[in-house]
Amino acid sequence: MDKRLIAEFARQETEDLYRMTESLENSVSEEFGNAKQLIPMIQNHIPYTQAELLEFSINESLVRISAEFSMRKHTSCLLPYYHSHDFYEIIYVWQGAGGQMLPGSPRRIELHEGDLCILTPGMVHTMLPCGAGDIVLKIIVPVPMMKTFLHNLQAENGELADEETGLPEMLLKKNEFYIFYNSTETSHVIKRLVDDLLHETYWGTSYRIPAIKNLLQLLLIALGRSSLEKAEDSIFHEVCSYIRQNIRTANFEDLARHVGYSGRQLRRKIADSTGGTFSDILWRIRIEEAASLLNGSDIPVEEVAGVIGYKSTSGFYKRFVHVFHMTPAAYRKLYRGPVS
């Protein structure tokens, strides 16, 4: 990694730790539209445990506000809390993994390296803590800036625009959450654009603002193309759907019969669509399902492996720790949240 990036991310960690401790009131005043109501409630109950903060945030209307573009690392000191925004937020997993949760859903949404999600204004969510080696980037795009980009795309696309499912039409809706998995031919383009945006944000000199705007516009174009690729090649979604419906017994031979391809054809289609294999998709979905069960059910930890199709408990533990950087028991304790 670029030494300048290492130093910048370390600076952000230090800055956010200060904001969360020594300068909490100022931080709340800067970031939340209803700060006057929030500050007394926060002052009366410091420190919060993670479970208490989640419960507090789901009961209060926490709306983050910003009229400026920014791009920062999701720092390790930030506790998870439910909130919405008056801006667009783009979340990109630059390295490792990162988790999201939506209110009312026990399922943790796990994003891996190269995955990206966009939250439109009003969408309530919480970002979960990252592991030591994870780098998750948060890009704030003010509504006027984003709407300019989207209207430009609509104008350029003209009659080809899809009134329901085109990217501009999707992002102009409020309270939406869209995920773009790292599984299409344009994923490497998206990675390069995010890298360029990162460096322009921190070290751009002449024409920095126009450069940032152009990179954001190109990023949206790449995401729009990514959506079209997935619509044209649905094999990835067919595989995921099959695995979720047969989480315990899913296997490659049965999938091939299910979708009507020979084994050789199916391997090639999965590789072309995702750059990986059936096994890659299988273990990822099984681990996500395990996280959901740990978070939303009372199934004993030692039985979760069997429920999702692992014959070896040790193999399940090893894979789970690789993804989440903690044991299944530690994950349940950390993310289960308040029990009513």
Side-chain angles (χ1 to χ4, degrees):
M1 188 192 304
D2 189 319
K3 290 182 179 179
R4 294 185 302 172
L5 270 181
I6 295 174
E8 174 60 27
F9 290 155
R11 185 194 67 78
Q12 291 179 15
E13 290 280 356
T14 301
E15 180 180 83
D16 280 357
L17 181 59
Y18 175 80
R19 287 164 57 84
M20 289 291 293
T21 53
E22 304 299 322
S23 185
L24 183 59
E25 289 185 31
N26 289 337
S27 300
V28 172
S29 298
E30 291 172 2
E31 292 194 23
F32 293 94
N34 55 343
K36 289 184 178 180
Q37 291 77 32
L38 289 177
I39 289 175
M41 289 187 283
I42 293 173
Q43 288 174 330
N44 292 334
H45 200 91
I46 293 179
Y48 279 96
T49 65
Q50 180 165 296
E52 288 172 337
L53 183 56
L54 283 171
E55 187 171 25
F56 168 78
S57 64
I58 203 65
N59 292 328
E60 300 298 329
S61 178
L62 304 186
V63 183
R64 291 185 59 204
I65 58 174
S66 179
E68 302 292 334
F69 165 85
S70 69
M71 186 175 190
R72 292 177 62 86
K73 178 180 182 286
H74 181 55
T75 50
S76 59
C77 65
L78 297 178
L79 292 174
Y81 64 95
Y82 287 105
H83 61 282
S84 63
H85 325 98
D86 73 346
F87 50 82
Y88 286 83
E89 184 168 31
I90 301 173
I91 298 169
Y92 182 77
V93 182
W94 197 75
Q95 178 177 295
Q100 302 273 324
M101 286 190 68
L102 307 181
S105 172
R107 181 182 294 276
R108 169 180 170 135
I109 300 170
E110 183 69 18
L111 301 176
H112 295 269
E113 190 167 316
D115 293 343
L116 179 149
C117 71
I118 300 181
L119 296 100
T120 67
M123 184 66 202
V124 178
H125 76 124
T126 182
M127 293 186 67
L128 299 175
C130 294
D134 299 329
I135 299 177
V136 179
L137 303 175
K138 302 182 294 186
I139 305 170
I140 290 176
V141 183
V143 169
M145 182 185 292
M146 179 64 84
K147 285 190 172 180
T148 298
F149 297 151
L150 298 176
H151 290 151
N152 287 343
L153 291 180
Q154 285 180 316
E156 288 295 325
N157 221 20
E159 296 180 357
L160 296 177
D162 188 319
E163 294 183 0
E164 295 295 328
T165 60
L167 183 70
E169 290 70 29
M170 291 164 56
L171 296 184
L172 286 170
K173 298 175 183 177
K174 290 186 176 181
N175 309 317
E176 296 291 344
F177 181 94
Y178 300 108
I179 300 177
F180 300 82
Y181 288 112
N182 179 18
S183 60
T184 69
E185 293 181 5
T186 56
S187 294
H188 69 283
V189 177
I190 293 170
K191 173 67 164 64
R192 187 170 67 246
L193 288 169
V194 171
D195 286 350
D196 290 345
L197 190 59
L198 194 64
H199 284 78
E200 196 65 48
T201 299
Y202 297 149
W203 302 294
T205 54
S206 302
Y207 309 110
R208 173 178 172 271
I209 298 302
I212 287 173
K213 289 182 177 180
N214 282 324
L215 287 168
L216 283 170
Q217 184 88 70
L218 288 170
L219 179 60
L220 290 174
I221 291 171
L223 292 173
R225 289 174 174 171
S226 174
S227 297
L228 290 174
E229 288 174 17
K230 288 183 178 179
E232 292 168 357
D233 183 4
S234 62
I235 191 64
F236 175 72
H237 301 285
E238 286 191 62
V239 173
C240 292
S241 177
Y242 162 80
I243 292 173
R244 290 192 174 100
Q245 292 173 20
N246 303 275
I247 192 72
R248 182 180 292 184
T249 60
N251 63 82
F252 182 79
E253 290 73 19
D254 186 54
L255 171 63
R257 288 191 294 270
H258 176 76
V259 297
Y261 291 118
S262 68
R264 183 177 181 180
Q265 288 174 318
L266 183 57
R267 286 189 185 90
R268 186 176 68 249
K269 283 185 171 292
I270 292 175
D272 290 344
S273 178
T274 70
T277 66
F278 169 75
S279 294
D280 294 332
I281 304 172
L282 177 62
W283 74 254
R284 174 171 171 166
I285 291 177
R286 280 180 167 170
I287 291 300
E288 288 178 357
E289 181 63 22
S292 177
L293 291 172
L294 291 167
N295 186 49
S297 78
D298 295 319
I299 298 174
V301 171
E302 59 273 12
E303 294 181 16
V304 170
V307 171
I308 63 169
Y310 269 86
K311 296 180 180 179
S312 165
T313 303
S314 61
F316 163 65
Y317 269 59
K318 183 177 180 180
R319 180 70 74 177
F320 194 95
V321 171
H322 173 74
V323 173
F324 292 109
H325 310 289
M326 65 182 76
T327 65
Y331 178 92
R332 169 170 276 173
K333 182 177 180 181
L334 183 60
Y335 293 120
R336 186 66 182 269
V339 178
S340 57

